[in-house]
Amino acid sequence: MTTSDKGYVTYQSENNIGTIEFFHPKGNSLPGSILKELTEVIHEASDDPSTQVVVLKSGGTGAFCAGASFDELCNISNADEGKEFFMGFANVINAMRTCPKMILCRVHGKAVGGGIGIIAASDFSVAMKGASIRLSELSLGIGPFVVGPAVGRKLGTSAFATLAIDAKTWYGSDWALANGLYNKLTDSIEELDKEVERLAKNLSESNPDALHNLKDIMWQSTGHWSATLEQRAEISGELVLSDYTRNFIADFQKNH
């Protein structure tokens, strides 16, 4: 587990339900250390015979996930480092995709960029009303290349294009529900937790072979993603070195 000042990732299994929680003090952003540990923990849950369903959540009461860590983005000095950073997102998405257990995502607040990729890579997501989303990569000069396959698969090409191109606009939770990113909305944190608990319990009592086969069907035709996401990480790793992106991040950090 990472230390609290740099965030953490935890995993516990009880009553056939494995719960993964990640946290970072800067809006649940995702530095490389958190991405690496998330990947490892998802693989651990995949191999855990005491877990039949996985609940993925983030800590705190603010944003669900602020996406890529700007601190790390601004410290990338060459294309290899850039690719390595974005492979962190690729590895998390691939770990979720290949996990034989159903993954339920609990979304309590806003999600940006890579956070939307994590929601899209889950098998079912329950969000609280007000959990708006923004796919902001293009405004940074990068583009949502690594999360694109997961988001496009879940929302479809048109809705993905809406988020990707209109990169400075927040889209509401009702929009995310209507376009398939969210499967259910709740009015409060209490209702959110009850609904996630209900769904997880139902799945934990289901036939594991049926669940495994259903997941295979849901994710069919994605076998090429490992190679595709690596190629996308390489593109992002080069673009993050552009003057446009450097200046954007510098201005953002100065004003926040």
Side-chain angles (χ1 to χ4, degrees), residues 173-184:
S173 54
D174 287 335
W175 187 95
L177 177 68
N179 285 281
L181 181 68
Y182 297 153
N183 297 101
K184 285 194 171 185

Side-chain angles (χ1 to χ4, degrees), residues 27-101:
N28 284 327
S29 59
L30 296 169
S33 60
I34 296 290
L35 292 168
K36 181 175 184 293
E37 196 161 357
L38 259 179
T39 300
E40 292 172 351
V41 167
I42 293 167
H43 285 311
E44 180 182 351
S46 297
D47 297 334
D48 187 351
S50 70
T51 288
Q52 183 160 313
V53 58
V54 176
V55 173
L56 179 60
K57 60 191 290 189
S58 61
T61 58
F64 168 75
C65 180
S69 166
F70 275 20
D71 290 341
E72 289 199 5
L73 285 177
C74 69
N75 287 327
I76 294 171
S77 61
N78 57 63
D80 288 339
E81 290 179 1
K83 177 182 177 181
E84 181 180 1
F85 176 77
F86 286 102
M87 277 302 297
F89 289 95
N91 292 335
V92 170
I93 290 171
N94 274 318
M96 295 176 69
R97 175 180 67 87
T98 59
C99 175
K101 322 290 175 67

Side-chain angles (χ1 to χ4, degrees), residues 115-158:
I116 299 174
I118 287 176
I119 298 168
S122 68
D123 301 299
F124 196 100
S125 61
V126 184
M128 194 171 73
K129 288 183 179 178
S132 54
I133 58 174
R134 185 174 69 185
L135 206 56
S136 59
E137 284 88 339
L138 195 62
S139 65
L140 277 66
I142 304 173
F145 301 118
V146 176
V147 301
V151 180
R153 167 187 169 273
K154 207 67 175 283
L155 277 72
T157 302
S158 179

